[in-house]
Amino acid sequence: MKAAPALAQQSVPASPALAAAAYPVFVLNSLEDSVSVINPVDWTETRRIPTGKEPHHLYMTPDEKSVIVANALGDSLTFIDPRTAEVQRTVRGILDPYQLRFSPDMKWFVTVANRLNHIDIYRWDGKEMTLAKRISTGKTPSHLWIDSKSTTIYATMQDSDELVAVDLATQTLQWRVKTGTMPADVFGTPDDKTLLVGLTGGDGVEVYDVSVKPARLVKKIPTGLGAHAFRAAGDRRHVYVSNRVANTISKIDYQAFSVVTSFLAPSGPDCMDVSADGKTIMVASRWARKLTVIDVASGKIVRQVKVGKSPHGVWTLNHAARQ
């Protein structure tokens, strides 16, 4: 579907949900080793928080008391208060944490080592993490998903073009299947039966039936060149995917497995967040050093906020449901 035209309109107000909560929006600056803190009322950068070397992704602790920044080349995690943007602590000795995720039952914390080709599974007691198992994988593990029952970890292998599954109970690799070129982010449907995989080296999203072992490819959804990162719309039916080369964001109906609309999103759109009311998309424009804000109803770009070099992860406490 044709993308809606972009138009900068500084007069458009903040999303009501964002303005009411006024929780900061965090943007990772991967090549400046920092996090930009954005005020979602007037859309100004209020400060930059130093992190470890080369942060790429963020994730909220299950109790929503901390945003964790994974510093891949710094072998560390930076914990930040999502309400005040104050640094809480730094955890060192976490080897090459590129992407990270908690199990829904809050017992496990998982990272992928993008440079070192392994998945690390940590026990989580609500505060501290202890390494339980390191699992060798394919080449360049990229992104993670854990099913709603906390039974299975799914991970993409960016440079060996694979999707792998790890059983959490036994902490063993269960199966691997070949994918299209350069698989990146993964998104699981609420029923745990289907997994979507973005192909950064291709032009769309692959749909896998994960109710069978090994997973079975059932469909490919054309979205745009460089399909990369997912973020749920929050209505348990739609998910957005950023197409980093096409400079668009596609909205996918994951019941029909088809694109229902697209938005222009300039300069290498990467990770996103969606406001709690579903009215606003905030996406990192990777090549422009900007956070781009899109009004969902009109499909228009309403503002851009200057941040640091190579902005990657985007996160706010005031977000839409993740499925």
Side-chain angles (χ1 to χ4, degrees), residues 10 14 22-27 35-48 85 291 293 303-307:
Q10 295 299 325
Y23 295 128
V25 177
F26 299 95
V27 182
V35 174
S36 290
V37 181
I38 309 298
N39 181 334
V41 177
D42 60 9
W43 296 101
T44 58
E45 183 186 36
T46 60
R47 59 182 295 201
R48 287 192 189 177
L291 174 71
V293 183
R303 60 181 49 81
Q304 291 187 300
V305 183
K306 186 178 179 181
V307 291

Side-chain angles (χ1 to χ4, degrees), residues 103-108 146-152 168-169 192:
S103 62
D105 66 6
M106 307 181 190
K107 294 180 180 178
W108 305 102
I146 302 176
D147 70 342
S148 66
K149 299 179 180 64
S150 302
T151 60
T152 307
L168 257 175
D192 290 327

Side-chain angles (χ1 to χ4, degrees), residues 20-33:
Y23 295 128
V25 177
F26 299 95
V27 182
L28 276 185
N29 304 312
S30 291
L31 296 185
E32 283 192 6
D33 305 338

